[in-house]
Amino acid sequence: IAGITQAPTSQILAAGRRMTLRCTQDMRHNAMYWYRQDLGLGLRLIHYSNTAGTTGKGEVPDGYSVSRANTDDFPLTLASAVPSQTSVYFCASSDSTGTWVNEQFFGPGTRLTVL
Amino acid sequence: GQNIDQPTEMTATEGAIVQINCTYQTSGFNGLFWYQQHAGEAPTFLSYNVLDGLEEKGRFSSFLSRSKGYSYLLLKELQMKDSASYLCAVTDSNYQLIWGAGTKLIIKP
C-alpha cells in the first residue's frame, strides 16, 4: 500500500441497504476525514478523526457513521442508504491535530449510486 | 455564515497566464489551501498560505490578503495538462477545511 486507498472504487446500491466504504492509509497520519463531492458543490466534510479512538461530526453527518479503531483505518458506514447519498466519497488523511493543520492527502474516491 | 466564492469556470490559452480568485468569509481563519483536481481524480495539494503575501512555487503562485478575505492562484506558462478544477479551502476556527465549489479551468491551444 502506498499512500491512501479506498474500496470499493464504485458501487450501485439499493435504497435501504447498509454499506461500508473502506479507507486505509500507510503514512501514519493521525487525522483522517470523509468528504462527499457533488456536482456544483464543494467538498463537504461528513466525519473526521483527529486521532485513533476519537471521531467528530462534520458539516453533513446525518445518515453516516464512522469508527477509528486504529491509526490506519477509517471506515464510513451508511446504515440505510437513500438516493440523496449518491455521490463521490473521498477519504483523506493529514499530519494534523485539532490545533494545527497540514495538507490533506486524498484517496482515489468511491463513486456510490443509490437507487 | 461561512462562505467560499470562486468563479465556476475560466478559459485561457496555452502559454498564457491566468489568475483564479477566491473570496471567503469564515468563523476564524487558520490558513488557506489551493488544490488541483483533474476530472475523475482526487484533489492534490498545490499551496498553503497563512500569512499575507505571495508564495511562489514554480509556475504556480498563491497570494493571500487576510484583511480582505481574498486569495488568488496564479498559473504561468499554461500547459494543456493544467486543464483541471482548482479548489480553494479555508481552515476555520475548528481547524477543519471549508471548501469552495472549485473553478474549472479550460486551456485552449
Side-chain angles (χ1 to χ4, degrees), chain B residues 15-42:
Chain B
I17 300 173
V18 70
Q19 177 175 312
I20 302 174
N21 296 325
C22 171
T23 58
Y24 63 88
Q25 288 180 306
T26 56
S27 58
F29 177 84
N30 289 293
L32 185 145
F33 290 84
W34 284 97
Y35 280 76
Q36 180 189 60
Q37 185 177 26
H38 286 101
E41 298 182 6

Side-chain angles (χ1 to χ4, degrees), chain A residues 58-112:
Chain A
E59 179 186 356
V60 288
D62 294 343
Y64 306 95
S65 63
V66 292
S67 62
R68 186 89 184 277
N70 57 60
T71 298
D72 299 343
D73 302 300
F74 192 43
L76 176 74
T77 297
L78 289 67
S80 178
V82 295
S84 62
Q85 292 177 313
T86 294
S87 187
V88 179
Y89 290 86
F90 286 104
C91 179
S93 70
S94 71
D95 185 17
S96 304
T97 70
T99 56
W100 58 277
V101 296
N102 209 338
E103 66 179 278
Q104 294 184 9
F105 294 83
F106 284 79
T110 294
R111 185 174 295 275
L112 182 67

Side-chain angles (χ1 to χ4, degrees), chain A residues 33 35 37 40-45 48 50 59 90 97-109 111, chain B residues 30-31 33 35 37 40-46 48 57 87 91-102:
Chain A
Y33 313 86
Y35 292 96
Q37 187 174 40
L41 299 176
L43 288 162
R44 291 183 291 169
L45 183 65
Y48 65 94
N50 285 332
E59 179 186 356
F90 286 104
T97 70
T99 56
W100 58 277
V101 296
N102 209 338
E103 66 179 278
Q104 294 184 9
F105 294 83
F106 284 79
R111 185 174 295 275
Chain B
N30 289 293
F33 290 84
Y35 280 76
Q37 185 177 26
E41 298 182 6
T44 55
F45 170 78
L46 287 177
Y48 173 62
K57 189 184 294 186
L87 315 180
T91 311
D92 69 5
S93 56
N94 293 321
Y95 296 88
Q96 300 301 335
L97 290 183
I98 308 298
W99 296 80

Side-chain angles (χ1 to χ4, degrees), chain A residues 14-69:
Chain A
R17 297 297 295 268
R18 180 184 179 91
M19 175 76 190
T20 295
L21 308 185
R22 299 184 298 279
C23 176
T24 299
Q25 54 106 358
D26 66 354
M27 297 176 282
R28 308 303 295 171
H29 286 166
N30 56 289
M32 297 187 75
Y33 313 86
W34 274 106
Y35 292 96
R36 59 178 291 173
Q37 187 174 40
D38 302 291
L39 197 63
L41 299 176
L43 288 162
R44 291 183 291 169
L45 183 65
I46 304 171
H47 286 286
Y48 65 94
S49 170
N50 285 332
T51 189
T54 69
T55 62
K57 293 182 179 180
E59 179 186 356
V60 288
D62 294 343
Y64 306 95
S65 63
V66 292
S67 62
R68 186 89 184 277

Side-chain angles (χ1 to χ4, degrees), chain B:
Chain B
Q2 306 197 105
N3 195 48
I4 312 287
D5 284 320
Q6 309 178 232
T8 302
E9 186 175 297
M10 299 181 71
T11 302
T13 304
E14 189 177 16
I17 300 173
V18 70
Q19 177 175 312
I20 302 174
N21 296 325
C22 171
T23 58
Y24 63 88
Q25 288 180 306
T26 56
S27 58
F29 177 84
N30 289 293
L32 185 145
F33 290 84
W34 284 97
Y35 280 76
Q36 180 189 60
Q37 185 177 26
H38 286 101
E41 298 182 6
T44 55
F45 170 78
L46 287 177
S47 68
Y48 173 62
N49 295 68
V50 64
L51 299 176
D52 290 351
L54 188 68
E55 294 280 343
E56 297 186 81
K57 189 184 294 186
R59 293 189 299 115
F60 292 5
S61 302
S62 57
F63 172 83
L64 175 67
S65 169
R66 290 172 295 172
S67 63
K68 296 182 179 178
Y70 168 70
S71 173
Y72 67 73
L73 181 69
L74 191 70
L75 290 75
K76 304 175 185 176
E77 302 170 15
L78 286 170
Q79 302 175 9
M80 297 304 292
K81 67 178 182 179
D82 297 331
S83 292
S85 289
Y86 291 86
L87 315 180
C88 173
V90 175
T91 311
D92 69 5
S93 56
N94 293 321
Y95 296 88
Q96 300 301 335
L97 290 183
I98 308 298
W99 296 80
T103 299
K104 182 178 181 180
L105 178 63
I106 300 168
I107 310 296
K108 295 186 175 180

